[in-house]
Amino acid sequence: MGLRERKKQKTRLALIDAALDLFLARGYEATTIDQIAASVDVSPRTFFRYFASKEDVALALQADALDIFVAELSARPDAESPFTAMSQAMRAALATVGHNDEADHERFAKTCELRDRHPALVAGQARLMMAHEQRLLAEITRRRGADDLRSHFVLALFAAVARTCFEQCGPGEIRDVAALARRLDETLVVAGQSLRPGWDE
Amino acid sequence: MGLRERKKQKTRLALIDAALDLFLARGYEATTIDQIAASVDVSPRTFFRYFASKEDVALALQADALDIFVAELSARPDAESPFTAMSQAMRAALATVGHNDEADHERFAKTCELRDRHPALVAGQARLMMAHEQRLLAEITRRRGADDLRSHFVLALFAAVARTCFEQCGPGEIRDVAALARRLDETLVVAGQSLRPGWDE
DNA sequence: TAATTTATGTCAGCCTCTGCCAGATGACAA
DNA sequence: TTGTCATCTGGCAGAGGCTGACATAAATTA
């Protein structure tokens, strides 16, 4: 990886860090792009070459985690039913994020706190999920061997589980990835108790 | 109802109609607030006294329908389980919209078409749902008599089912409220087949 | 070192959205 | 009918998000 590429990664992370810190310190809406750019010594125009929008930088790490999830999903064995495969992929994705370097871990925690404080970002998180929806739906129909309403239902149910995990964590309760993984397991237990065996095949 | 109130209703509907028509004709992003306001002979400043944002006017009817849904929900008998009550309330809300005057019906159809064409609005629809989330959650916990993870799961699942119905209707397939109601029934059948009896109690 | 590619800064500008104040219009009582 | 009051509207100024175009600076490659 050349110098140019390394510089870009560094600038990107610096922008994310500056943004998260400013958002948490002054509030999301009260922080301007100019302030973020200034605190990294970069022109505002450059900010928009790294992130498409203000929301984008706030949820950058969530987007990364989602990419990992999608990658893990296609690595799951074909024998697994759609919902099982997605559940396992989500576990694997959380494990990956949790085992990264400390800085990344902290960024993720800050993103969670920020999302809890500013409900506007929850909608953005939903939008992220929707961006990958087509790919997930394709994976579900592939594993089920049928393209019908049930595939949509499976997708919707998994989205429901994911949302239940990631948002509305109690007041300051969930701050690290391990706790998030635990909550995922709890939610999957509830889902398992609620669903009939073989419902997603 | 006085003259002032009538005028306001008229302006509101005129703005919605103008917005929907312009959005469908030129595209959502290509249409500016100034154009909408001009075609109703109203100042741009006034537009924002009726709608908080551009997205707001595009989804105004969906918001109205959601309000009806919430009202219907609290009218459901206490004996019904949370998911059943929400399902029935949704049926009732769709029936109400379907039996309104013709103009309203057409506006709703236009909103659906617009949402299908511009995925950005789907996220807005999710945001609408989330705006009522606290109230729905309270209703669920009231009916279940418990405030735990399962209540969140029931809420998320219903939200997901609603989304499955309302979006990704095939290419130009669903254009009137009756078809939408039919699709809701189909989806609820799939949900019924997948979930264990009493899962939401 | 020279040529090519790519990232950044600057500038100009559109659009969304808000606060503020003055003028117009409907509501209501004398 | 008329005067008073509450409310709606228009115009203005401005902040902030975001984009296109062009020139400069830096890194890559030969």
Side-chain angles (χ1 to χ4, degrees):
Chain A
M1 195 170 56
L3 168 61
R4 180 170 268 162
E5 202 65 24
R6 259 178 293 144
K7 263 193 170 177
K8 272 175 67 175
Q9 295 281 358
K10 206 172 134 191
T11 305
R12 181 183 137 91
L13 287 181
L15 282 171
I16 293 175
D17 284 332
L20 290 178
D21 287 340
L22 284 171
F23 289 159
L24 285 175
R26 314 190 194 184
Y28 175 69
E29 283 138 26
T31 305
T32 69
I33 305 290
D34 287 17
Q35 292 167 355
I36 299 172
S39 83
V40 188
D41 264 318
V42 153
S43 87
R45 187 66 185 87
T46 295
F47 173 91
F48 286 105
R49 291 198 174 96
Y50 282 87
F51 303 98
S53 68
K54 190 174 169 179
E55 198 184 70
D56 235 41
V57 69
L59 297 173
L61 285 200
Q62 303 256 355
D64 292 352
L66 205 55
D67 286 339
I68 297 175
F69 163 70
V70 172
E72 293 282 352
L73 177 58
S74 47
R76 300 301 309 174
D78 285 5
E80 283 180 342
S81 72
F83 190 79
T84 305
M86 288 195 286
S87 303
Q88 294 300 103
M90 185 62 87
R91 282 202 180 94
L94 278 184
T96 302
V97 173
H99 287 70
N100 267 356
D101 63 308
E102 184 55 34
D104 234 43
H105 200 284
E106 194 180 329
R107 282 184 202 106
F108 196 86
K110 281 182 185 171
T111 304
C112 288
E113 189 175 346
L114 185 61
R115 184 202 351 85
D116 285 355
R117 278 203 220 161
H118 299 273
L121 292 175
V122 179
Q125 199 173 5
R127 180 182 313 170
L128 278 184
M129 192 71 173
M130 286 189 290
H132 295 275
E133 212 161 53
Q134 294 309 319
R135 218 181 312 177
L136 295 183
L137 191 62
E139 183 71 20
I140 293 172
T141 61
R142 189 181 69 76
R143 287 174 188 268
R144 287 189 58 238
D147 179 13
D148 55 10
L149 196 56
R150 185 172 292 269
S151 291
H152 289 264
F153 180 73
V154 174
L155 175 60
L157 186 61
F158 184 76
V161 169
R163 266 196 54 199
T164 305
C165 289
F166 290 145
E167 73 191 41
Q168 292 180 355
C169 320
E173 212 176 315
I174 299 200
R175 286 288 164 268
D176 71 84
V177 181
L180 213 57
R182 240 175 292 131
R183 181 159 170 122
L184 173 62
D185 286 336
E186 288 172 28
T187 312
L188 287 175
V189 167
V190 173
Q193 292 169 347
S194 303
L195 291 155
R196 291 191 161 109
W199 68 279
D200 61 336
E201 286 167 4
Chain B
M1 194 171 56
L3 169 59
R4 180 170 266 163
E5 203 65 26
R6 260 178 293 143
K7 264 194 168 177
K8 273 176 66 175
Q9 294 280 359
K10 206 172 136 191
T11 305
R12 181 184 137 92
L13 287 180
L15 281 171
I16 293 175
D17 284 332
L20 290 178
D21 288 340
L22 284 171
F23 289 159
L24 286 174
R26 313 188 193 183
Y28 175 68
E29 283 139 26
T31 304
T32 68
I33 305 288
D34 287 16
Q35 292 167 357
I36 300 172
S39 83
V40 187
D41 263 319
V42 152
S43 87
R45 188 66 186 86
T46 295
F47 173 91
F48 286 106
R49 292 201 173 93
Y50 282 87
F51 303 99
S53 69
K54 189 174 169 180
E55 200 184 69
D56 234 41
V57 69
L59 297 174
L61 286 200
Q62 303 257 356
D64 292 353
L66 205 55
D67 286 339
I68 296 174
F69 162 70
V70 172
E72 293 283 351
L73 177 59
S74 47
R76 300 301 309 173
D78 284 5
E80 283 180 342
S81 72
F83 192 81
T84 305
M86 289 196 285
S87 303
Q88 295 299 102
M90 185 63 85
R91 282 201 179 95
L94 279 183
T96 302
V97 174
H99 288 70
N100 266 358
D101 63 308
E102 184 55 35
D104 234 44
H105 199 285
E106 195 180 329
R107 281 183 203 108
F108 196 85
K110 280 181 185 172
T111 303
C112 288
E113 190 174 347
L114 185 62
R115 183 194 4 75
D116 285 357
R117 276 201 221 163
H118 299 274
L121 292 175
V122 179
Q125 198 173 6
R127 183 179 314 166
L128 279 184
M129 194 71 173
M130 285 189 290
H132 295 274
E133 213 159 53
Q134 293 310 319
R135 219 181 313 177
L136 295 183
L137 190 62
E139 183 70 21
I140 293 172
T141 60
R142 190 182 67 77
R143 286 174 188 268
R144 287 190 58 239
D147 179 12
D148 54 10
L149 195 56
R150 186 172 292 268
S151 291
H152 289 263
F153 179 70
V154 174
L155 173 60
L157 182 51
F158 183 78
V161 167
R163 267 196 52 202
T164 304
C165 288
F166 292 146
E167 74 191 39
Q168 293 180 355
C169 319
E173 211 176 314
I174 299 199
R175 285 289 164 268
D176 71 85
V177 181
L180 213 56
R182 240 175 292 130
R183 179 157 169 124
L184 174 63
D185 286 338
E186 288 172 26
T187 310
L188 288 176
V189 167
V190 174
Q193 291 168 347
S194 303
L195 292 155
R196 290 197 164 106
W199 69 278
D200 61 337
E201 287 168 1

